[in-house]
Amino acid sequence: MVRPPGNTRLKSARVAAGYHSQQALADALGVGVRQVRRWESDTPPWPQPEVGQALTRILGQDLESLGFPPPGGAQVDRGRRTVLAATAAAVGLAAVPTQAVAVQPASVAADFENVTRSHRRLYWSVAPATLHPAALSHATLGCALLPETAGQTRQRTAAALAETWLLAGRIEFFDLRDAARAQQTLLRALQAAGEADDPLLGAAVLAHTAFIPGWAGDRDAAVERMVAARTYARRGPASVELLAWLDAVEAECETRCGHTRTALHLIQHAEDVIAEGSEYGSPECPEWLDWFSLVRLAAFKGNTQLKAGHLPQARETLLEVLDALEPSEEKQRTVVLGDLAAVEAAAGEPEAACGYAVRALDQLERTWYAMGMDRVREVRRALVPHQHERCVRELDDRLYGWSTTVSALAR
């Protein structure tokens, strides 16, 4: 017999909040682990008032959103209402009816997936402030559609919805620099991946959540989330690309937290994983994993070499990346140019540093990317000892021109 999935809403929220075991949540609430097991079963009992309040406080959602059917006989039809519908109501979107809903045809999944796929491609060229509301609107549609589907149609719709929330979260974190909002959006993506029973997509979402504490220098929290991401990936089977990307994410977090030696070991492991997969074969790479490649891995490596002070190696790596980037990889190009500028600034070559920084600004005028602008600003701070030189003043003229300044402040 197939084992029931249990209360996936509560499980997803627990993991996203950092409680990676039932025992950890039980300890936080001061209850027995047996009680948590009952809550995560297919028929979770309504918690006692005090415990229920503590549960909603530490997980950030109301009890119905966490998968508990209301007491007093007001049983919610679990096949009709999902955590995603509850999430939509919680954030002020249109309410989803719980009774007499229509049953959507199987074609709805393919239609919804097509728009998700288009948004994925548009991310690389469309301004984030333009694409973000479109992705959120598409997610709202998915929240409305999901309760009206069943079986494989429901699973495919949920997976596409998870990817849409993931895209929105990526824009919020990498482009709009709103980590708090991204955290909540990625939680919705994880819950949708749970509805789809897609552990690889869940691994991708969890790894993205690791960026948030990693950027803030909270190494322990980043490592915990990467442990969860790798756990989900083991349920795959995961492709070598996904496994290597998980190494790269953890390397990025380690670099941000000052552990460059560990980061370089992780990148070496990622390179070995890809080489071994190329030799012996690997499961197919997920279609949605379009933000990673061998070139992107090399870009991670070049940045880590830079932060480790290995300037000749970083210069060589980053120049090779710059040559290998496809014309469509405009956002990544600004980051690489910024890192090359940082290499030259650290090497005491202000003219070369300014040259790369100006090229990055040229690219940013065509395709805005907050991460790229951050790189340029870091370079300018590194050039303070040379700020009276002509090349630096010319960089300032570009960096603080009307169009660049207004664009930066508007975002």
Side-chain angles (χ1 to χ4, degrees), residues 318-319 321-323 325 330-341 344 351-367 372 376 379 394-395 398-399:
L318 292 167
L319 285 172
V321 170
L322 194 62
D323 288 340
L325 285 174
E330 296 174 337
K331 291 183 176 182
Q332 186 64 31
R333 190 176 303 278
T334 63
V335 172
V336 174
L337 287 168
D339 281 346
L340 278 166
E344 300 304 339
E351 287 194 18
C354 291
Y356 284 122
V358 168
R359 288 176 63 185
L361 290 173
D362 289 340
Q363 185 65 63
L364 285 167
E365 287 187 354
R366 293 189 291 271
T367 306
V376 175
V379 169
E394 290 175 348
L395 172 61
R398 287 295 309 281
L399 184 58

Side-chain angles (χ1 to χ4, degrees), residues 171-200:
I171 293 173
E172 288 161 2
F173 183 74
F174 292 112
D175 297 273
L176 305 181
R177 307 314 302 270
D178 190 342
R181 188 177 184 184
Q183 173 71 25
Q184 294 304 311
T185 301
L186 291 172
L187 168 58
R188 297 184 181 104
L190 184 62
Q191 291 173 318
E195 291 284 346
D197 192 23
D198 190 331
L200 298 185

Side-chain angles (χ1 to χ4, degrees), residues 140 147 182 212 218 288 327 335 352 366 390:
T140 304
I212 298 172
D218 187 349
W288 42 258
V335 172
R366 293 189 291 271
R390 179 178 177 180

Side-chain angles (χ1 to χ4, degrees), residues 282-299:
S282 164
E284 185 177 356
C285 180
E287 182 184 1
W288 42 258
L289 188 62
D290 65 340
W291 59 75
F292 184 71
S293 64
L294 272 173
V295 176
R296 297 296 180 94
L297 178 59

Side-chain angles (χ1 to χ4, degrees), residues 194-247:
E195 291 284 346
D197 192 23
D198 190 331
L200 298 185
L201 196 49
V205 174
L206 282 163
H208 275 88
T209 69
F211 281 125
I212 298 172
W215 253 245
D218 187 349
R219 184 175 184 241
D220 290 342
V223 169
E224 285 179 354
R225 295 182 183 196
M226 287 308 305
V227 169
R230 293 183 189 280
T231 301
Y232 275 61
R234 286 199 297 271
R235 299 169 186 164
S239 67
V240 294
E241 292 87 357
L242 179 59
L243 294 175
W245 175 70
L246 293 178
D247 283 335

